[in-house]
């Protein structure tokens, strides 16, 4: 079945929406930036841009996402991209023993721990909102 939103995925899995790790790709002055955020949060792009020393973070186009991840919006996995992507991770995901991330397709997710996800992605832990 389809799990296009964090709420739908959480309902299907039977976990809190906050334990869903959304993979959001932003255009950071021409470079891709992956933000792994809790399904319970909206990303404060102005705050993250300031943290990164950028004038702004733009939501990536579907073409930009596919070029840099090899995957389509709605199912972007935190790994498996053609080249490494700088990654930030929402610190509140650490509150969950198990988190769920997209597996490269809109209909698939996989369970992982916060520590494993940080190790796998080399993510920098931040407050996203």
């Amino acid at each position: 079945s389809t799990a296009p939103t964090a709420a739908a995925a959480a309902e299907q899995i039977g976990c809190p929406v906050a334990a869903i790790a959304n993979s959001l790709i932003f255009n950071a002055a021409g470079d891709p930036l992956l933000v792994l955020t809790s399904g319970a949060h909206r990303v404060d792009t102005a705050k993250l841009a300031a943290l990164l020393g950028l004038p702004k973070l733009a939501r990536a186009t579907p073409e930009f996402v596919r070029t840099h991840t090899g995957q389509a919006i709605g199912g972007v996995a935190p790994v498996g991209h053609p080249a490494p992507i700088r990654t930030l991770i929402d610190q509140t995901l650490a509150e969950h023993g198990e988190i769920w991330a997209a597996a490269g397709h809109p209909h698939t997710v996989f369970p992982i721990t916060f520590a494993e996800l940080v190790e796998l992605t080399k993510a920098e832990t931040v407050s996203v909102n």
Side-chain angles (χ1 to χ4, degrees):
S1 60
T2 306
T5 67
E11 187 175 328
Q12 289 175 16
I13 295 163
C15 72
V17 71
I20 299 293
N22 284 335
S23 298
L24 305 177
I25 298 287
F26 291 93
N27 183 332
D31 293 320
L33 174 73
L34 173 58
V35 179
L36 298 172
T37 184
S38 165
H41 290 155
R42 283 230 177 273
V43 173
D44 182 338
T45 55
K47 178 180 178 177
L48 288 187
L51 179 77
L52 298 170
L54 296 170
K56 70 180 183 108
L57 274 183
R59 185 60 73 105
T61 64
E63 297 77 22
F64 186 91
V65 172
R66 190 173 287 284
T67 295
H68 291 285
T69 68
Q71 302 160 18
I73 288 176
V76 174
V79 294
H81 313 131
I85 296 175
R86 182 174 185 185
T87 303
L88 305 181
I89 190 167
D90 183 344
Q91 64 190 10
T92 67
L93 285 168
E95 298 166 8
H96 303 277
E98 184 173 66
I99 54 182
W100 294 82
H105 183 278
H107 303 280
T108 57
V109 293
F110 67 97
I112 192 167
T113 68
F114 181 82
E116 289 167 340
L117 192 54
V118 168
E119 172 73 20
L120 199 61
T121 62
K122 309 297 183 238
E124 304 158 61
T125 304
V126 297
S127 169
V128 301
N129 61 348

